[in-house]
Amino acid sequence: KVLACAPSNIAVDNVVERLARSGAKVIRLGHPARLVSSILQHSLDNLLANSEGAEIVKDIRKEMNTAMSKSASAKISADRRKWRNEMKTLKKELLQREEKLLRELLKKADVILATNTG
């Protein structure tokens, strides 16, 4: 595994482009808005969004939103408490699944690239 850093986004993006052309498995850390469009497929955000577990994460987020809505509209405090507990459980599961996806992606990478700050 290699962690490569450079002082600017353009410099990191240039390295990503060259390494990707050589066949290396690269992951570009950083906000997608600051990345060159040609390397977006190597960004961590994009890789997470298109990973195998992404649909499960999306489903958990939907369930959390539903539980939040039901909690807000519940008239009885016991019902609100029930929905808040459901949200806590879902949040814990969400964090575990996101962390697992992140670890799996980082393990598969040959090179991880980022700027020196940020």
Side-chain angles (χ1 to χ4, degrees):
K1 301 272 184 228
V2 175
L3 173 63
C5 298
S8 70
N9 284 308
I10 292 296
V12 174
D13 292 347
N14 287 335
V15 175
V16 170
E17 285 177 334
R18 290 185 181 135
L19 287 172
R21 270 189 258 139
S22 73
K25 294 178 184 171
V26 297
I27 294 181
R28 170 63 159 100
L29 304 181
H31 194 284
R34 293 183 179 85
L35 309 182
V36 175
S37 61
S38 62
I39 61 123
L40 283 176
Q41 74 265 17
H42 301 290
S43 75
L44 181 60
D45 289 344
N46 183 58
L47 293 169
L48 283 171
N50 294 314
S51 66
E52 291 178 16
E55 281 301 315
I56 294 170
V57 169
K58 287 179 188 174
D59 290 342
I60 293 171
R61 287 186 191 277
K62 286 179 188 175
E63 288 178 35
M64 286 177 69
N65 288 338
T66 301
M68 189 181 305
S69 296
K70 289 185 177 185
S71 173
S73 64
K75 305 259 189 263
I76 302 168
S77 64
D79 289 342
R80 283 191 297 274
R81 191 171 26 256
K82 175 186 131 189
W83 289 113
R84 278 192 231 120
N85 288 336
E86 177 71 14
M87 287 183 345
K88 286 180 188 177
T89 303
L90 289 168
K91 185 175 182 177
K92 185 176 179 180
E93 182 181 354
L94 176 70
L95 293 174
Q96 289 172 345
R97 291 195 183 261
E98 285 178 331
E99 185 176 326
K100 182 181 177 193
L101 288 174
L102 181 61
R103 285 178 193 247
E104 287 174 0
L105 284 173
L106 294 177
K107 280 183 184 179
K108 292 177 185 176
D110 298 323
V111 183
I112 300 168
L113 300 103
T115 57
N116 296 337
T117 58

